[in-house]
Amino acid sequence: MQATKTSTPLIVHTKNELNVIERKHPIAAVFTMGALHEGHAQLMDEARKYVDQSGNKAGTVIVTVFVNPTQFDDPEDFAKYPHTLESDIEVCAKSHVDVVFVPKVSEIYPDENVLAERISAGPLGNILEGAARPGHFDAVLTVVNRLIQITKPDVMFFGEKDFQQLVLVRQMVTQLDLPVAVIGVPTVRDIDGLALSSRNKKLSTNSLKDASRLYEALTLAQQRISEGKSLTDIETECTSYLQAIREIELDYFEILNESLQVPKPNEKLRAVVAAKIGGVRLIDNISIER
Ligand code: PAF
């Protein structure tokens, strides 16, 4: 079988099926949990561009659609997670993806008594999102490592929207010497600045409006930095700004460096925010120039 360069992707469900496809290098991967939107399409478009510009147009763009049960802290969340395979395949087709891998849980975790290598995210996995969702990043890294072993990509694309995930994936790739490049792709936003996320579908019209305040707070931080304000003052101002909005249940607003550590003078900054709005947990971040 040969992965053809039409816009209709080849859909495969098992490792055996995947292994008989002739996948030409470079192999560019985008790992997803489905419910695909414009943000995912951006990752796929970047993957396609990377392959097409590589000098080997026969290279392969592979997208995985796997709702990883182990990274959900709330079983109800997992049970309610949208499964939209038909429209996901359409999104992949539009982005000229070659192969869509849609495995069952047993393909990824073949024997629940024999654990696949469990990856520990370490201390960085316990702050910010990790503090709110203990064990989440261990589970994310474990599945990403499994998906790397199975799809064998040369390069993989992750959204900056889940910035802590991106930093942790980079950390894992470096620490385990995995032979794969990691490319971060800027967040896609709606007209009000709200970062695109599968979770936005759960927001009411009013909550959608409130949600765009997160981006307003992030851009306020950017403005205050350019005015020369101190990071502590800015964090306080942005925190108060969001806490004053009744519908927003703020978890954190912090200004850190690009490794999500306390910034040293002149280091590049990353403002990160998380809040529950209308019962839905949302996260966002921006890079800030000093
Ligand atoms: O970002 C996601 O959708 C998931 O965390 C990932 C990387 C596909 C792992 O399940």
Side-chain angles (χ1 to χ4, degrees):
M1 247 199 294
Q2 159 113 39
T4 50
K5 263 283 140 10
T6 68
S7 57
T8 310
L10 211 52
I11 316 296
V12 295
H13 297 275
T14 68
K15 285 177 278 186
N16 284 344
E17 282 175 318
L18 192 62
N19 288 336
V20 291
I21 296 171
E22 195 188 339
R23 280 168 287 159
K24 295 258 173 64
H25 292 278
I27 300 171
V30 178
F31 301 145
T32 81
M33 299 211 298
L36 302 183
H37 50 67
E38 261 310 296
H40 296 106
Q42 184 74 25
L43 302 181
M44 295 173 200
D45 291 345
E46 289 299 321
R48 180 82 268 157
K49 229 188 290 165
Y50 181 97
V51 167
D52 289 350
Q53 288 172 357
S54 69
N56 182 5
K57 290 231 173 202
T60 310
V61 175
I62 178 163
V63 169
T64 65
V65 176
F66 177 62
V67 185
N68 176 33
T70 62
Q71 72 186 74
F72 287 81
D73 20 63
D74 178 358
E76 213 176 293
D77 240 17
F78 172 62
K80 281 202 210 140
Y81 199 85
H83 291 258
T84 56
L85 189 57
E86 223 171 284
S87 71
D88 292 347
I89 291 170
E90 276 169 28
V91 176
C92 293
K94 273 195 198 139
S95 294
H96 301 280
V97 166
D98 298 301
V99 181
V100 183
F101 179 49
V102 193
K104 287 210 172 84
V105 173
S106 55
E107 285 292 313
I108 302 295
Y109 306 113
D111 182 346
E112 55 188 34
N113 299 313
V114 183
L115 280 185
E117 309 89 292
R118 269 202 72 80
I119 309 288
S120 165
L124 186 55
N126 297 328
I127 62 168
L128 304 172
E129 284 315 284
R133 309 174 67 185
H136 170 73
F137 286 117
D138 295 353
V140 168
L141 293 185
T142 299
V143 78
V144 168
N145 187 41
R146 290 290 296 135
L147 292 169
I148 293 170
Q149 288 168 20
I150 294 167
T151 60
K152 302 177 179 56
D154 300 297
V155 58
M156 36 187 203
F157 293 78
F158 286 85
E160 285 189 0
K161 150 84 173 37
D162 295 307
F163 194 73
Q164 191 173 6
Q165 170 172 282
L166 171 62
V167 172
L168 282 164
V169 167
R170 286 193 201 284
Q171 175 184 283
M172 173 178 76
V173 164
T174 306
Q175 290 185 355
L176 300 184
D177 295 315
L178 302 178
V180 57
V182 182
I183 296 184
V185 178
T187 303
V188 180
R189 300 182 179 281
D190 75 7
I191 192 153
D192 294 324
L194 175 64
L196 296 196
S197 159
S198 319
R199 289 170 181 239
N200 296 355
K201 286 197 187 110
K202 297 183 183 173
L203 297 170
S204 66
T205 315
N206 281 344
S207 295
L208 270 171
K209 258 195 212 127
D210 296 328
S212 63
R213 302 295 193 96
L214 299 181
Y215 184 61
E216 274 176 30
L218 292 168
T219 49
L220 176 63
Q222 166 75 80
Q223 189 188 321
R224 294 291 186 254
I225 293 276
S226 53
E227 290 163 6
K229 298 258 159 51
S230 80
L231 298 190
T232 320
D233 285 353
I234 300 170
E235 280 178 346
T236 309
E237 183 181 354
C238 293
T239 298
S240 308
Y241 173 79
L242 290 171
Q243 280 173 339
I245 302 162
R246 198 160 40 94
E247 293 74 14
I248 295 184
E249 210 182 300
L250 183 66
D251 183 355
Y252 57 77
F253 185 102
E254 292 189 35
I255 302 175
L256 300 166
N257 67 13
E258 288 283 309
S259 312
L260 297 177
Q261 306 295 321
V262 175
K264 298 197 182 81
N266 299 323
E267 267 185 336
K268 231 179 133 195
L269 302 171
R270 186 63 64 167
V272 293
V273 64
K276 258 194 181 168
I277 300 176
V280 181
R281 188 180 172 83
L282 298 176
I283 57 173
D284 200 356
N285 68 86
I286 59 168
S287 148
I288 293 187
E289 299 298 333
R290 299 216 208 212

